[in-house]
Amino acid sequence: MAKKVLMQGNVAAAEAAIRAGLNLYAGYPITPQTTLTEYMSWRLPEAGGQFIQAECEPAAINMVLGASVGGARALTATSGPGFSLMQEGISAMCGGKLPGVIINVMRSGAGGGSIVSSQADYNLAVKSAGHGGLRSLVLAPYSVQEFVDMVYNSFDLAEKYNNPVVILADGMIGQMHEPVIIPEFKTGTDARLKARGPGEKGRPKRVFKDTVSVPALVEKEYDAACAKYDLWQKEAVEYEDMLTEDAEYLIIAFGSAARISSGAVKALREEGVKIGMVRPKTLYPFPKERIKAIDKNQVKAVLTVEMARPVMFYDDVALYLDRDIPHYSCTRAGGVIITPDEVEEAVRKIL
Amino acid sequence: MECIYKKPATLDPKGKSGFCPGCTYGTVVKLIAEVVEELDIRERTMLPMGVGCAVSARDWVDFDSMMSLHGRTTASGLGYKRVHPEGVTIILQGDGDAVAIGMAESVHTANRGEPVTVILVNNQIYGRTGGQMAPTTLIGQKSTTSVAGKRVEDAGYPIHMAELIATLKTPRFVARGSVHNVKEILKTKELIKKAVRIQMEENAYSFVEIVTACTTNLGIPTSEVPSYIEDVVLKEFKTGVIKDESNLN
């Protein structure tokens, strides 16, 4: 049996990416992501991959784009401001149907903001991959182990759907140390890379385009993208239910907010409050069928917990939640980390 | 009868040049295609093209190519090269792409010595968007964003990209050519060929700037463009090898 080791989230995620067959990492230092880039700088070359400390985030995402054109497994990691700077590249990867993985170790605040954890990049990650309105597949880990597992599987997912995958972690998940099981090295991950290299004499040319220019053809591209997103809704949605079977009250939260809320759920259960939690692991595709299935005859109220103001995640839950169920919100913002006590207090108010 | 000139097989017979009539950008693309054919690297070559007139080469060349985002052509091109080191990456950029929006990528790609060849086509203007001022626009030159002529007080002097790249220690080969007459076309082809060979044989970075002019937006008859390049543009951007630290002949 694999042994558990104590590792920092960022470092564990980096090792997981390498074991998933990573060929190229390009990144730019930014707190709280930096330890991932530091680890990659020596560990990836040791494992046979290419590490580039890029001159800026737009360069980093475009290095990933170019490597992906070449069929490589490519990754970048950043945080808030850097994620903003990468939007154009992510848009081009969606348009060009390129796989690739982008980790956003979210920090707080607008502009330079601050280096403390938040969930304020939810809309930026989920609603549109940069300009043009295409979508990334967005995953949100709530523990170091889940961060590892999501990164490890993200390349297969990206290649399956020919689409970038965004892993929306945050400063807490990235900086926290937890015992984790690091998976084995994947094998046979380089078929795509080999198929897109120089190749045999006289082969047809390959042309990479991130867009076509005739509106009617662009519209067809959008229709194909919509069909892909519908497929995700059918087969890629992931979420976790915690003590929901008999729950009369539900917390809905993702990532760190869900991790913190799980403490409140346990404490309230000990007091006999019938409370549970639904935790989306995929933010896009959003688990809308799960939210729609919340039964007003069983659930008296729903509390959405997130570290963002104004709310973002709440709006998506509200879109699919039965309107007869009272829906409340519990938030902190700006890098103020929500506490289990605050969540507990918010639940007590709606009991 | 002996064949003394033919279209290179590395230009797609079904493809067509997307360049404006009279523009010599197409000559640059043809020279690249000839070099690819002569070095027998068709299957190994990747041509990342910057946003602007460069993308007009896309459907014309008969080897791999990729569109890039504006200014990020070297970044995406080197990303490809890093994962296919046996490939030959020839990056085709305009002056807006390489000197304005992509200056950081241009300088750092050169400074890291990424084993790619950058072909910068300097036409002193934003051609694709209809003739706006570029960092290479000459002082006094009129454009749609410098209608009274470019002034130093507003926009500074033209940036000499080849000389700027040559100040870095890492680049192995830096040169500037022109394609306004047959003699210069032949010289420029040799510059491109050497630059590509340096990438292949020395695994080093090389840079060739090629002076052209935008016949569509310049506002003078196309027939006068070659003499305009000779008499005006090349006085500002001097041709020749600026730096050569390669071991090739």
Side-chain angles (χ1 to χ4, degrees), chain A residues 209-223:
Chain A
K209 304 176 184 183
D210 58 13
T211 185
V212 286
S213 48
V214 185
L217 296 179
V218 179
E219 191 181 49
K220 279 205 172 79
E221 293 283 313
Y222 276 106
D223 289 345

Side-chain angles (χ1 to χ4, degrees), chain A residues 50-52 55 62-63 66-67 70 72 88-89 193 196-198 200-203 205-208 210, chain B residues 12 40 42-43 58 61-67 69 72 75-76 78-80 82-84 86 105 108 112:
Chain A
Q50 293 287 322
F51 169 85
I52 312 170
E55 52 272 27
N62 282 282
M63 290 167 188
E88 187 194 26
L193 179 68
R196 284 162 174 76
E200 80 288 355
K201 209 88 185 151
R203 68 163 170 83
K205 66 175 172 180
R206 305 184 196 111
V207 182
F208 170 74
D210 58 13
Chain B
D12 192 336
D40 194 21
R42 177 190 170 273
E43 288 74 20
R58 184 178 68 194
V61 296
D62 191 32
F63 43 85
D64 295 353
S65 64
M66 59 190 274
M67 281 170 65
L69 287 168
R72 318 298 165 222
S76 53
L78 75 88
Y80 181 90
R82 284 278 190 127
V83 298
H84 291 297
E86 72 283 23
E105 283 82 351
H108 288 278
R112 281 194 301 269

Side-chain angles (χ1 to χ4, degrees), chain B residues 13-28:
Chain B
K14 284 173 293 189
K16 54 183 178 187
S17 153
F19 298 105
C20 298
C23 175
T24 49
Y25 218 121
T27 308
V28 175

Side-chain angles (χ1 to χ4, degrees), chain B residues 91-131:
Chain B
I91 296 167
L92 183 63
Q93 298 184 272
D95 37 321
D97 195 60
V99 187
I101 193 168
M103 178 60 103
E105 283 82 351
S106 293
V107 170
H108 288 278
T109 301
N111 193 50
R112 281 194 301 269
E114 302 283 351
V116 295
T117 300
V118 173
I119 307 293
L120 162 62
V121 179
N122 172 0
N123 66 357
Q124 306 99 54
I125 211 158
Y126 283 76
R128 196 78 163 189
T129 45

